[in-house]
């Protein structure tokens, strides 16, 4: 029985910052391309949820363990993966664990998932630093997710790992972004690490370099990645998306792997190499299943779906790098923990209720039916994957928002049910009654004490730019 | 149904100046309003009041918020809250108490001190929740009426905008003739139409302001009214409805009106024996929190046919010199909306009108007046309607 990747998903936030705009603001030489920017209502958790929904779409069974890796965990001390599991409506009997803090955590998550199948590894990151930093310029926000189990589309053949204690890159708690030593310092150790890991993995898989069809190389140290890349034939090197997306940290290798899997044919060998604090290698072989399930929400599509009109000021504000004067409105307040716990299926999972007597859907769920007044005759009704249309909407310029105006839409769902919610990732000038929407898990705001309020919002489907 | 016939009357009223009363606390406003009401009844003292109902939404807690400043000596004081119908509901509960014979003389008083919050726009205090309800401001909630009405009745954006502007212009004009109003200047239609957008298609002049104020009424049984007052105001109907609050979840709710208002209007008209409100009501104080609200209220209250209110507005039907003056005192537009006070402030205008004391706004011998409040966003409101008259017997009843 072989174990490997049974499903995967990649998520890119809609917004792109043109690097030229950032450089112009800082009075620096022009730089081409764009980087992805998580919106004001996104974080590592919400992006991870989106990628996971794609990976788990049409799943035959739920993962029993979830591994969540990011360098930007919403919370410390508290597990973030439990919120992920709740958003994915996984059963209570699920192990949900954070593998947090470093870029290399992603590999840890993948290896742990491979060892605990059926499982899900979710790799998500936001990359930024102070204005002037290379992280802000070259980084990219993204998430990807890999389900592991039997009968895979890509079998995991072998792994290799070399760990090197190296102070080449670090972020102290409270710092805006990572600090680095001189680039040349870490190049050799990382290159050696990646090469040694490759040897281990190829050896374990009984393969030669020439057997490889695709090679993913991901390292925060571009120099090291380039050096290692020269060991392989140019045509097997997987596309990285640094020009359009940026270096995605914990999500970077997985993003490249997703790109490979979307175009791979059966019986191809894939090497995934990560150069961080040493070197990690994973060798996969695709099966017939790799061409079977191709999601509409593909990485290829996401790459073309970006909006590059984002201002530098907005990006800096969203990442907390440009403090702004607050409106004379009450500060966001934290949700009541008991209320959020009682309603976790609704709040995190968007599970509504349906009256067993008259079939009326209720969003949010109710105990008393609004149509037939029956009490406690409700069944849970998962609505997260239902499509809807905008019945009416308004722009609220007065509401306190990091990114005014707030757009509130009344959404009518296919199959019944109406719900009033915030509309996000939309061009406010182009919202129209009748527009189709889908639901997305988002972070509404952060209270003064740092507590994040999560809720589902609607996003337009196929909004023309 | 309660109140099949007239049972109570208002025999005294008071109303403070409304506005940004930096110099007055809630205590001060309540003392002022209560004092005026008491002084309006010859030979009357606050100690003659048997029980009090205090309407305040978020400016004071418990009956102590009134008994403390007035130094009421161990009398019943009930604090009432029902969103924007708070002040009116204080009147309603006070009325039932004297009608039931529990007390002989009661006071309904409403007050609000919103300018102590320092916030832009109205802030509704919240109860702890799971964080999922959408945090919508009041202008945004009511802005949903505009596109809905235009679509349903095929009204052009220009015409609809003109109707909204007319409503704001009319109310500012009336308020300019009212020494108690917050805003006492006329505003041109051009300024109204060009105002900065706040939400949807609503500009700053489409929204009522945040204000402080208080108003009070002395209420007795109708049979005792003449002992206190030469020209009592008889309460002919009181209706209140709290809806099931499922409008936002009901695909059949179309944001062009308020079922709760229609329900309370029907109940009030039945109590008062009114079969043709558009013809029989001489003046109305309605809840113009936003201009589109007043517009659709004309239909929900039966003053205009469905889809025709915008035309009636533009034709001047609801102007001070029109067939049915609406908000002759200037409305929420000119007074702002100190929540607990508004319902009683509305009643105060009708009180003045019936007594011939409305100065420049005086209408020619009105015989039936209506007050209306609604609280909450479209689709989930509390609505209140009252009908009052200088005569205890039904007027125009078949």
């Amino acid at each position: 029985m072989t174990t490997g990747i049974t499903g995967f998903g990649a998520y890119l936030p809609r917004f792109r910052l043109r690097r030229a705009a950032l450089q112009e603001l800082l009075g620096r030489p022009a730089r081409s391309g764009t980087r992805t920017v998580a919106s004001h209502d996104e974080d590592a958790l919400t992006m991870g949820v989106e990628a996971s929904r794609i990976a788990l779409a049409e799943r035959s069974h739920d993962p029993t363990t979830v591994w969540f890796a990011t360098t930007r965990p919403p919370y410390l001390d508290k597990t973030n993966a439990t919120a992920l599991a709740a958003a994915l409506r996984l059963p209570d009997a699920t192990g949900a664990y954070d593998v947090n803090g470093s870029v290399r955590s992603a590999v840890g998550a993948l290896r742990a998932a491979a060892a605990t199948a059926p499982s899900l590894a979710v790799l998500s990151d936001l990359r930024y630093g102070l204005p002037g930093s290379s992280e802000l310029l070259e980084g990219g926000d993204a998430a990807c997710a890999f389900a592991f189990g039997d009968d895979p589309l890509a079998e995991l053949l072998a792994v290799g790992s070399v760990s090197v204690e190296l102070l080449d890159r670090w972020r102290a708690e409270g710092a805006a972004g990572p600090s680095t030593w001189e680039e040349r310092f870490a190049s050799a150790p990382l290159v050696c690490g990646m090469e040694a890991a490759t040897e281990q993995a190829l050896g374990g898989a009984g393969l030669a370099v020439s057997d490889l069809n695709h090679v993913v190389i991901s390292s925060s140290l571009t120099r090291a990645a380039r050096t290692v890349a020269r060991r392989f034939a140019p045509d097997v090197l997987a596309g990285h998306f640094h020009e359009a997306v940026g270096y995605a940290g914990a999500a970077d290798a997985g993003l490249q792997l997703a790109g490979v899997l979307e175009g791979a044919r059966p019986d191809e060998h894939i090497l995934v190499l990560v150069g961080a604090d040493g070197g990690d290698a994973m060798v996969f072989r695709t099966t017939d299943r790799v061409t079977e399930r191709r999601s509409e929400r593909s990485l290829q599509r996401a790459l073309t779906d970006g909006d590059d009109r984002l201002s530098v000021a907005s990006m800096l504000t969203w990442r907390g790098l440009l403090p702004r004067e607050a409106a004379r409105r009450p500060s966001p307040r934290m949700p009541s923990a008991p209320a959020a716990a009682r309603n976790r299926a609704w709040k995190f999972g968007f599970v509504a209720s349906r009256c067993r007597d008259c079939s009326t859907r209720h969003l949010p769920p109710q105990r008393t039916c609004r149509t037939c007044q029956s009490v406690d005759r409700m069944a849970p009704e998962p609505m997260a994957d239902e499509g809807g249309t905008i019945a009416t909407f308004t722009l609220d310029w007065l509401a306190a928002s990091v990114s005014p105006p707030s757009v509130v839409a009344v959404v009518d769902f296919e199959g019944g049910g109406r719900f009033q919610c915030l509309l996000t990732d939309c061009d406010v000038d182009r919202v129209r009654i009748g527009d189709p929407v889908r639901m997305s898990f988002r972070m509404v705001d952060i209270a003064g004490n740092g507590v994040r309020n999560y809720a589902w919002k609607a996003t337009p489907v196929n909004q023309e730019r | 149904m309660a109140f099949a016939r007239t049972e109570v009357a208002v025999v005294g009223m008071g109303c403070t100046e409304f506005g940004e009363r930096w110099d007055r606390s809630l205590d001060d406003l309540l003392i002022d309003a209560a004092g005026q009401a008491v002084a309006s009844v010859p030979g009357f003292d606050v100690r003659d009041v048997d029980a009090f109902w205090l309407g305040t939404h978020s400016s004071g807690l418990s009956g102590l918020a009134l008994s403390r400043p007035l130094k009421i000596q161990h009398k019943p004081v009930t604090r009432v809250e029902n969103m924007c119908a708070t002040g009116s509901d204080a009147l309603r509960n006070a009325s039932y108490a004297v009608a039931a014979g529990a007390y002989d003389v009661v006071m309904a008083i409403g007050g609000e001190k919103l300018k102590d919050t320092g916030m832009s726009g109205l802030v509704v205090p919240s109860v702890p929740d799971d964080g999922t309800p959408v945090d919508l401001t009041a202008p945004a909630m009511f802005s949903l009426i505009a596109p809905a009405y235009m679509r349903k009745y095929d009204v052009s954006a220009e015409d609809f905008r003109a109707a909204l502007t007319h409503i704001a212009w009319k109310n500012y004009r009336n308020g300019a003739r009212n020494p108690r109003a917050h805003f006492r200047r006329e505003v041109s239609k051009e300024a109204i139409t060009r105002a900065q957008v706040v939400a949807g298609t609503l500009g700053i002049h489409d929204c009522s302001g945040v204000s402080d104020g208080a108003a009070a009424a002395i209420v007795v049984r109708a049979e005792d009214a003449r002992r206190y007052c030469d020209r009592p105001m008889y309460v002919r109907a009181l209706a209140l409805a709290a809806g099931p609050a499922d409008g936002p979840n009901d695909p059949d709710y179309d944001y062009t009106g308020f079922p709760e208002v229609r329900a309370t209007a029907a109940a009030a008209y039945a109590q008062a024996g009114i079969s043709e409100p558009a013809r029989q009501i001489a003046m109305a104080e309605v809840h113009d929190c936003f201009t589109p609200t007043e517009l659709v209220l004309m239909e929900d209250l039966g003053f205009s046919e469905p889809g025709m209110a915008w035309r009636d507005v533009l034709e001047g039907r609801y102007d001070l010199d029109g067939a049915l003056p609406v908000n002759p005192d200037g409305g929420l537009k000119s007074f702002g909306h100190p929540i607990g006070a508004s319902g009683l402030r509305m009643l105060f205008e009708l009180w003045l009108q019936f007594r011939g004391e409305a100065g420049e706004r005086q209408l020619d011998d009105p015989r039936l007046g209506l007050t209306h409040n609604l609280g909450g966003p479209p689709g989930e409101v509390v609505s209140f309607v009252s009908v009052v008259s200088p005569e205890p017997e039904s007027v125009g009843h078949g």
Side-chain angles (χ1 to χ4, degrees):
Chain A
M1 190 127 58
T2 56
T3 297
I5 297 169
T6 54
F8 65 94
Y11 174 77
L12 298 178
R14 167 196 146 114
F15 291 105
R16 310 273 185 274
L17 181 71
R18 287 178 306 107
R19 294 203 183 94
L22 178 60
Q23 293 296 78
E24 196 184 319
L25 178 75
L26 299 175
R28 296 210 167 181
R31 173 80 175 79
S32 65
T34 60
R35 59 150 295 160
T36 50
V37 178
S39 186
H40 62 94
D41 60 1
E42 298 188 283
D43 65 11
L45 175 66
T46 65
M47 293 197 294
V49 169
E50 288 300 299
S52 300
R53 288 170 78 190
I54 302 168
L56 295 180
E58 295 155 50
R59 63 184 180 265
S60 51
H61 50 257
D62 293 321
T64 55
T65 316
V66 174
W67 302 93
F68 177 57
T70 181
T71 69
R72 297 279 182 182
Y75 294 114
L76 300 174
D77 232 285
K78 179 205 176 308
T79 304
N80 297 282
T82 45
L84 185 84
L88 299 173
R89 305 189 306 279
L90 299 180
D92 288 348
T94 303
Y97 303 101
D98 291 352
V99 186
N100 276 343
S102 58
V103 168
R104 203 181 194 203
S105 301
V107 182
L110 287 168
R111 292 190 61 178
T116 56
S119 59
L120 181 71
V122 184
L123 320 173
S124 180
D125 223 349
L126 290 92
R127 308 299 298 176
Y128 57 93
L130 290 174
S133 67
S134 66
E135 202 69 45
L136 190 67
L137 183 67
E138 308 287 356
D141 304 336
C144 50
F146 297 89
F148 282 79
D150 296 332
D151 197 20
L153 55 90
E155 190 189 331
L156 177 62
L157 298 181
V159 301
S161 182
V162 170
S163 298
V164 182
E165 172 48 42
L166 204 62
L167 190 67
D168 73 310
R169 179 177 208 84
W170 66 95
R171 174 161 57 92
E173 201 174 339
S179 306
T180 57
W181 202 269
E182 283 184 276
E183 277 198 7
R184 286 193 301 281
F185 158 62
S187 190
L190 291 183
V191 167
C192 289
M194 282 192 270
E195 286 178 342
T198 302
E199 246 190 75
Q200 284 179 36
L202 288 179
L207 296 172
V209 168
S210 53
D211 294 321
L212 296 171
N213 303 96
H214 306 278
V215 175
V216 167
I217 304 174
S218 175
S219 176
S220 54
L221 195 61
T222 320
R223 173 189 300 264
R226 275 205 217 110
T227 305
V228 171
R230 289 202 283 271
R231 311 284 194 263
F232 303 96
D235 61 330
V236 304
L237 291 175
H240 63 69
F241 310 107
H242 294 174
E243 192 61 10
V245 174
Y247 169 69
D252 194 75
L255 213 62
Q256 292 188 45
L257 176 58
V260 166
L261 291 173
E262 278 179 7
R265 289 189 299 267
D267 207 33
E268 291 188 327
H269 292 109
I270 308 170
L271 170 68
V272 178
L273 256 186
V274 179
D277 306 301
D280 288 285
M282 303 178 84
V283 178
F284 295 90
R285 177 174 61 219
T286 60
T287 69
D288 290 339
R289 287 217 174 287
V290 78
T291 49
E292 270 173 23
R293 201 182 62 77
R294 292 260 141 101
S295 174
E296 224 182 69
R297 294 186 65 203
S298 65
L299 179 58
Q300 287 310 314
R301 180 140 163 232
L303 283 164
T304 58
D305 257 358
D307 181 350
D308 70 353
R309 294 168 300 172
L310 183 68
S311 72
V312 182
S314 289
M315 191 225 174
L316 295 177
T317 302
W318 295 353
R319 295 291 86 84
L321 296 168
L322 182 64
R324 304 273 267 248
E325 187 71 23
R328 279 188 222 289
R329 294 294 295 174
S331 338
R333 47 187 187 95
M334 59 181 280
S336 156
R342 283 193 299 272
N343 299 341
R344 68 169 70 83
W346 164 246
K347 178 182 174 69
F348 290 94
F350 206 65
V351 177
S353 69
R354 180 191 274 269
C355 178
R356 287 189 174 91
D357 290 346
C358 73
S359 293
T360 304
R361 277 175 164 172
H362 294 75
L363 301 92
Q366 300 288 311
R367 288 181 62 185
T368 307
C369 178
R370 66 171 174 81
T371 305
C372 70
Q373 270 85 57
S374 308
V375 179
D376 290 337
R377 292 287 300 148
M378 297 286 180
E381 182 88 342
M383 297 284 297
D385 299 322
E386 296 284 348
T389 55
I390 295 178
T392 189
F393 69 96
T394 192
L395 307 186
D396 189 349
W397 291 95
L398 183 60
S401 166
V402 176
S403 195
S406 293
V407 184
V408 178
V410 177
V411 176
D412 280 335
F413 286 94
E414 288 163 28
R418 168 177 279 200
F419 179 60
Q420 192 170 282
C421 60
L422 290 167
L423 192 68
T424 191
D425 276 4
C426 62
D427 194 333
V428 301
D429 297 324
R430 303 180 86 146
V431 182
R432 297 284 179 273
I433 291 174
D435 282 354
V437 298
R438 57 176 291 276
M439 300 307 294
S440 177
F441 182 73
R442 293 295 169 114
M443 185 200 66
V444 176
D445 51 40
I446 306 180
N449 62 357
V451 172
R452 298 180 182 218
N453 185 27
Y454 293 101
W456 288 77
K457 296 186 181 182
T459 66
V461 174
N462 302 329
Q463 189 174 49
E464 290 159 21
R465 310 219 182 278
Chain B
M1 154 199 339
F3 251 90
R5 55 178 174 73
T6 307
E7 292 188 14
V8 302
V10 175
V11 295
M13 284 209 74
C15 183
T16 69
E17 282 179 32
F18 280 39
E20 292 178 330
R21 305 298 308 274
W22 311 114
D23 59 324
R24 311 303 271 170
S25 64
L26 180 73
D27 285 2
D28 293 325
L29 294 167
L30 294 176
I31 291 169
D32 293 346
Q36 281 186 42
V38 164
S40 74
V41 183
F44 192 77
D45 188 276
V46 71
R47 284 166 291 190
D48 298 327
V49 178
D50 298 323
F52 302 78
W53 275 258
L54 166 68
T56 184
H57 177 258
S58 50
S59 301
L61 298 172
S62 95
L64 295 168
L66 184 71
S67 65
R68 184 186 292 112
L70 265 55
K71 297 291 179 275
I72 297 169
Q73 301 294 312
H74 312 296
K75 295 269 180 80
V77 185
T78 303
R79 177 191 166 207
V80 177
E81 185 277 325
N82 222 333
M83 289 205 175
C84 306
T86 290
S88 295
D89 207 7
L91 173 79
R92 181 175 159 273
N93 280 273
S95 299
Y96 290 150
V98 288
Y103 307 104
D104 296 327
V105 185
V106 296
M107 177 186 287
I109 178 168
E112 212 74 54
K113 184 65 206 165
L114 295 179
K115 293 311 291 182
D116 277 358
T117 65
M119 291 290 157
S120 227
L122 187 64
V123 174
V124 179
S126 51
V127 295
D129 62 35
D130 65 9
T132 60
V134 176
D135 195 15
L136 207 50
T137 62
M141 296 175 204
F142 286 87
S143 72
L144 290 168
I145 295 173
Y149 189 96
M150 287 190 276
R151 285 181 108 221
K152 181 170 182 176
Y153 299 115
D154 200 25
V155 180
S156 74
E158 292 75 30
D159 284 341
F160 196 73
R161 180 64 251 168
L164 297 188
T165 295
H166 188 96
I167 289 169
W169 171 84
K170 160 183 80 71
N171 290 335
Y172 277 131
R173 204 146 184 271
N174 295 346
R177 289 152 176 73
N178 196 330
R180 285 180 168 82
H182 178 174
F183 298 104
R184 286 180 229 157
R185 279 190 306 118
E186 296 193 30
V187 181
S188 73
K189 288 196 169 186
E190 197 182 68
I192 293 165
T193 304
R194 290 218 190 137
Q196 183 191 0
V197 169
V198 175
T201 54
L202 302 187
I204 199 87
H205 288 300
D206 292 302
C207 310
S208 63
V210 177
S211 289
D212 305 326
I218 311 282
V219 181
V220 301
R221 282 183 296 281
E223 72 227 30
D224 298 335
R226 294 257 167 225
R227 274 200 265 144
Y228 296 90
C229 173
D230 58 339
R231 282 184 283 184
M233 178 167 68
Y234 294 90
V235 178
R236 302 282 307 283
L238 292 170
L240 181 80
D246 64 355
N249 303 111
D250 182 356
D252 295 330
Y253 178 66
D254 67 8
Y255 291 87
T256 62
F258 306 94
E260 303 90 337
V261 174
R262 295 194 285 276
T264 43
Y269 296 151
Q271 288 173 30
I274 292 172
S275 51
E276 292 174 77
R279 190 184 61 77
Q280 293 173 266
I281 303 286
M283 56 185 174
E285 286 283 324
V286 309
H287 203 81
D288 63 313
C289 47
F290 302 95
T291 48
T293 315
E294 177 168 326
L295 193 149
V296 300
L297 284 173
M298 298 300 93
E299 297 176 7
D300 287 336
L301 292 169
F303 299 161
S304 284
E305 291 300 312
M308 298 303 293
W310 68 278
R311 260 197 235 275
D312 293 338
V313 162
L314 286 173
E315 279 166 18
R317 177 169 162 68
Y318 303 117
D319 293 0
L320 197 62
D321 57 2
L324 201 177
V326 170
N327 292 336
D329 67 353
L332 267 70
K333 177 108 290 283
S334 298
F335 276 82
H337 185 32
I339 298 171
S342 288
L344 289 164
R345 182 270 303 158
M346 293 175 176
L347 198 69
F348 183 73
E349 175 69 0
L350 305 189
W351 166 261
L352 292 178
Q353 290 283 352
F354 290 140
R355 298 169 73 81
E357 294 170 7
E360 285 183 85
R361 308 180 311 282
Q362 185 62 51
L363 301 171
D364 183 24
D365 196 30
R367 310 309 282 170
L368 267 184
L370 176 145
T371 71
H372 162 267
N373 291 110
L374 63 75
E380 38 185 341
V381 307
V382 172
S383 173
F384 170 90
V385 172
S386 81
V387 177
V388 290
S389 168
E391 289 165 7
E393 298 302 318
S394 57
V395 173
H397 199 185

